[in-house]
Amino acid sequence: MFLPRLKLKLQLDDKDTLIGPGKIALLKAIQTEHSLSQAAKSINMSYRKAWLLIQELNGSLNEPVLVTKTGGQSGGGSELTEIATNIIAVYEQLTREAEAATEATRKTVVSLLK
């Protein structure tokens, strides 16, 4: 049986999303691609949107989420900071906990579907 998945987003008050699926997908793509522009491309996101999401994260957290190297002969790149890897881990843990806590309710939803 296929259960619907949860997509969590964490907000402070009614402000923008602090952490959600888009920001986590972007951070994970940067982890893989080692480049903000390549990460954005890999998840079909514009570079501008990716940059804005990183700026939102940086504005919300105690430390920046990326260390960037400017281009040149060896090329540029982006690496996640420790806080970024911690954010990914915390978000994934929250998702696992929420899915475990709501499994019965999600099964009920499935029983109502065609």
Side-chain angles (χ1 to χ4, degrees), residues 32-46:
T32 301
E33 301 291 338
H34 304 287
S35 160
L36 180 58
S37 62
Q38 290 301 316
K41 283 180 190 176
S42 76
I43 59 171
N44 298 316
M45 182 182 287
S46 74

Side-chain angles (χ1 to χ4, degrees), residues 49-68:
K49 178 164 177 129
W51 178 250
L52 291 173
L53 291 178
I54 294 300
Q55 292 305 308
E56 284 178 23
L57 279 167
N58 287 342
S60 300
L61 300 170
N62 292 328
E63 302 169 25
V65 293
L66 289 183
V67 174
T68 58

